[in-house]
Amino acid sequence: EDQVTQSPEALRLQEGESSSLNCSYTVSGLRGLFWYRQDPGKGPEFLFTLYSAGEEKEKERLKATLTKKESFLHITAPKPEDSATYLCAVRGPGTSGTYKYIFGTGTRLKVLA
Amino acid sequence: EPEVTQTPSHQVTQMGQEVILRCVPISNHLYFYWYRQILGQKVEFLVSFYNNEISEKSEIFDDQFSVERPDGSNFTLKIRSTKLEDSAMYFCASRGVRYPDTQYFGPGTRLTVL
């Protein structure tokens, strides 16, 4: 069964304390792994898409990496404004050439000043 | 910066009633999506829509649900006979052709079924 598991569920960091969030996935025929940021009461905000093992993408203090079984979102020297829930999702083949999207439950990140 | 908008922001309805949730995608986008998020749970994919037809739908998207693009700007999700378990935040998303993996999400409509 296709699934996405994120860990930890919650993470508290001091400002400047770098860390990584994990997204483990099982999907038959990965067609993209997505990272989103979600602030309370708002819709997800797209961060990255990764397609193949070994791929890396960076944006400001965030760097996403991908292996055949998991993805990491590395946060370097986080600031309080990085506090949010980070969601991982995978896209896999659906029926008749279409796609389906499977989300993880997210990691709630709190960065303390 | 263009954005996806959704109305209403909060909808309260009685069980068994029909509701229509509305979305205005980004103007040059051609692919549209509905997701839902029950409070405290993960985001769930409902349906994708392209070229005036459903591209993919999940098991959640049963006969009680339907989607429509009634005009050139709106994209709607209809729930025919709401159940208590339909209470959730419903997110609309759209994407263009140039950046096919970047879905832009709206702020969501909170649906409360009493």
Side-chain angles (χ1 to χ4, degrees):
Chain A
E1 182 185 349
D2 299 336
Q3 64 179 8
V4 174
T5 303
Q6 291 188 246
S7 62
E9 288 186 12
L11 182 63
R12 292 167 69 94
L13 299 173
Q14 292 293 325
E15 185 173 3
E17 180 186 1
S18 301
S19 188
S20 296
L21 313 182
N22 177 264
C23 171
S24 298
Y25 66 90
T26 304
V27 65
S28 50
L30 181 71
R31 297 292 186 271
L33 184 141
F34 305 84
W35 282 99
Y36 297 89
R37 169 194 171 124
Q38 187 176 27
D39 292 299
K42 295 189 176 181
E45 175 188 344
F46 172 80
L47 293 174
F48 303 108
T49 307
L50 302 166
Y51 289 101
S52 55
E55 189 175 359
E56 299 182 353
K57 288 191 177 174
E58 288 188 67
K59 179 181 178 181
E60 296 179 352
R61 295 179 292 282
L62 301 176
K63 179 180 176 180
T65 62
L66 181 65
T67 72
K68 289 185 178 180
K69 295 182 179 180
E70 59 191 351
S71 176
F72 291 94
L73 184 66
H74 307 277
I75 304 177
T76 302
K79 299 181 178 181
E81 52 262 42
D82 294 322
S83 298
T85 295
Y86 289 84
L87 303 175
C88 173
V90 297
R91 180 173 64 183
T95 56
S96 303
T98 60
Y99 295 113
K100 59 183 177 183
Y101 297 83
I102 304 156
F103 281 76
T105 52
T107 293
R108 295 188 310 278
L109 174 65
K110 177 74 173 177
V111 182
L112 305 172
Chain B
E1 184 176 332
E3 58 183 18
V4 176
T5 60
Q6 292 185 242
T7 55
S9 57
H10 191 190
Q11 174 88 48
V12 181
T13 189
Q14 294 291 326
M15 189 170 57
Q17 295 296 305
E18 174 184 287
V19 294
I20 297 176
L21 309 183
R22 290 181 169 80
C23 169
V24 179
I26 294 173
S27 62
N28 60 348
H29 285 185
L30 300 177
Y31 298 82
F32 314 114
Y33 307 82
W34 282 102
Y35 296 83
R36 79 174 185 189
Q37 188 174 28
I38 296 170
L39 186 63
Q41 298 187 24
K42 62 182 179 181
V43 174
E44 298 174 292
F45 168 74
L46 293 179
V47 66
S48 60
F49 189 86
Y50 170 72
N51 199 26
N52 283 321
E53 59 183 30
I54 290 173
S55 308
E56 180 66 274
K57 60 182 180 180
S58 71
E59 295 173 349
I60 304 166
F61 195 87
D62 60 22
D63 292 342
Q64 292 297 315
F65 292 89
S66 62
V67 288
E68 190 178 32
R69 188 156 163 80
D71 54 45
S73 60
N74 289 284
F75 179 53
T76 63
L77 174 70
K78 180 191 292 186
I79 308 175
R80 290 189 181 82
S81 178
T82 51
K83 308 182 186 73
L84 295 176
E85 55 264 36
D86 292 328
S87 295
M89 183 75 92
Y90 288 80
F91 294 106
C92 171
S94 70
R95 71 168 177 89
V97 175
R98 184 176 181 186
Y99 299 103
D101 295 310
T102 305
Q103 290 185 26
Y104 294 87
F105 282 74
T109 291
R110 179 164 298 286
L111 177 64
T112 302
V113 182
L114 304 176

